[in-house]
């Protein structure tokens, strides 16, 4: 048993596994444009929200560009603002 007030001998391991890297920094051929709907859909949740960078792993610079591209695509109706409501 460890005495009170002492630190553990080994540092605790961060949970969550391996840190995700930015897809756009890793793959230079991946294009970030508002017309690339297939790429943008990866970064939108089921509810139509933009996935935050802490979850997607995107770097800050590309997250800003990604957000702008998604908003542009929404304005010209390439992407939905929200999910459609199923009447059932």
């Amino acid at each position: 048993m460890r005495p009170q007030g002492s630190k553990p001998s080994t540092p605790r391991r961060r949970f969550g596994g391996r840190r995700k890297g930015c897809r756009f920094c890793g793959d230079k051929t991946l294009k970030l444009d508002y017309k690339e709907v297939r790429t943008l859909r990866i970064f939108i949740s089921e509810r139509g929200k933009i996935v935050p960078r802490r979850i997607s792993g995107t770097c800050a610079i590309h997250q800003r560009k990604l957000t702008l591209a998604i908003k542009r695509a929404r304005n010209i109706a390439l992407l939905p603002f929200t999910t459609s409501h199923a009447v059932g």
Side-chain angles (χ1 to χ4, degrees):
M1 188 168 159
R2 194 178 69 199
Q4 287 185 344
S6 67
K7 290 184 178 182
S9 60
T10 58
R12 286 191 170 189
R13 186 170 180 232
R14 283 181 54 193
F15 56 89
R18 195 172 78 91
R19 182 166 174 81
K20 291 172 232 155
C22 178
R23 290 185 185 197
F24 299 103
C25 291
D27 186 9
K28 297 293 182 188
T29 60
L30 193 61
K31 198 173 176 184
L32 181 54
D33 190 28
Y34 68 95
K35 292 174 272 182
E36 296 286 331
V37 179
R38 190 173 293 172
T39 305
L40 297 178
R41 280 192 190 275
I42 299 169
F43 298 97
I44 294 178
S45 69
E46 293 175 355
R47 307 283 291 196
K49 293 183 171 184
I50 299 171
V51 176
R53 59 182 283 241
R54 67 181 163 82
I55 294 174
S56 66
T58 311
C59 70
I61 294 169
H62 284 117
Q63 181 71 21
R64 277 185 237 120
K65 290 179 181 177
L66 182 70
T67 303
L68 190 66
I70 289 172
K71 288 179 180 178
R72 280 183 182 159
R74 283 176 176 166
N75 274 333
I76 60 171
L78 293 176
L79 288 174
F81 281 93
T82 60
T83 57
S84 60
H85 298 282
V87 179

